[in-house]
Amino acid sequence: QTQVRMVAETVTLDVSVDPANKQSAIARTNASFTMRNLGSAEETMQARFPLTFFNGNSDGFGRFPEIAQITVKVNGKVVSTRREMQPFLANAASFNEMEQIPWAVFDVTFPPGQDVSIDVSYTVQAFGYYPFLVFKYILETGAGWNGTIGSVDVVVRFPYEVSEKNVLLQGGENAGYGAPTAGGVGSGNEVRWHFEDLEPTYENNIMVTIVAPSLWQTVLNETANVRKNPNDGEAWGRLGKAYKEAIRFPKGYLRDDPAALEMIALSRDAYEKCLALLPNDPLWHYGYA
């Protein structure tokens, strides 16, 4: 029944290695909303932000990862939040694994004809099996506001250049987490989604599957090492091993997308250069095999 429209939403996830678990990753997240009351009367309400998957689903492993700490600002001023358990919102993708889910609830007033800015900041941990990790961001709950969302920008930012080798924008379902959200475009160190006049459904919820940042940093480090010293057999071996890990799913089978096929060739080439320099090293022969 609200007359408040979400005029714009901009979300940035800054991905880095999880300091508590080098094989995982975290994303420092900031979601900025511009809200406008299109009606003639002031509206005061308890707004809410989901602290876990709002539709009752788990992360696929029977767990319900929850945002531990969250900061909310209204027009630049920090406001208090409280954690409340509420029934999940069912959709076509719901499995009803959790009857109630936690929300961060806060009070906000929307004067008529004025823009109100809301900023939500938190850190979220990736989930999944190494070396493939998943981040999600929920857009569907934005459907509760008046009309469409005017514009939406979701940016996932990495500490290195993104490519089809380290972000699975096509065929990520092979990692066992479902297909990545359509429309993601990689450029520089970012992957970006943009929507106009969006009435969001579960199909618009952002999901991106990535190669663990620590592993990809190993690829970058060892590539630099072999360029600096092409006679370093150990560095060639470590590079071959890193590429091999980046294409291998937890159950052992391999990625078969074009970027993965390129990495298979790069891994093979690195192992062969390693063994040309270290022909009597049984461990590198074993790793290559």
Side-chain angles (χ1 to χ4, degrees), residues 6-67:
M6 188 181 292
V7 177
E9 177 177 6
T10 301
V11 183
T12 304
L13 292 84
D14 282 299
V15 175
S16 61
V17 176
D18 184 350
N21 178 5
K22 132 175 218 192
Q23 291 192 339
S24 188
I26 57 174
R28 292 177 176 85
T29 305
N30 187 77
S32 297
F33 308 91
T34 300
M35 316 297 295
R36 185 176 302 156
N37 184 349
L38 304 178
S40 58
E42 180 177 275
E43 291 191 34
T44 297
M45 67 178 71
Q46 295 179 342
R48 56 182 182 163
F49 192 90
L51 295 176
T52 188
F53 307 137
F54 79 105
N55 56 5
N57 294 355
S58 73
D59 62 358
F61 306 98
R63 299 185 298 262
F64 299 88
E66 183 175 338
I67 296 170

Side-chain angles (χ1 to χ4, degrees), residues 203-278:
E203 293 179 336
N204 302 117
N205 294 334
I206 301 299
M207 185 178 80
V208 58
T209 303
I210 68 173
V211 172
S214 60
L215 176 57
W216 195 252
Q217 194 59 56
T218 297
V219 169
L220 298 177
N221 292 344
E222 299 304 344
T223 298
N225 286 338
V226 297
R227 285 176 180 167
K228 183 178 180 181
N229 185 2
N231 293 319
D232 186 343
E234 290 289 329
W236 280 112
R238 292 191 299 266
L239 179 59
K241 180 175 182 291
Y243 273 128
K244 180 174 68 175
E245 287 187 23
I247 60 176
R248 187 167 58 187
F249 291 114
K251 292 184 178 180
Y253 59 95
L254 304 180
R255 286 171 53 184
D256 58 2
D257 55 280
L261 298 179
E262 183 181 345
M263 286 192 285
I264 289 173
L266 289 168
S267 179
R268 181 184 295 117
D269 181 64
Y271 270 117
E272 289 178 353
K273 288 178 179 176
C274 162
L275 293 173
L277 293 164
L278 302 171

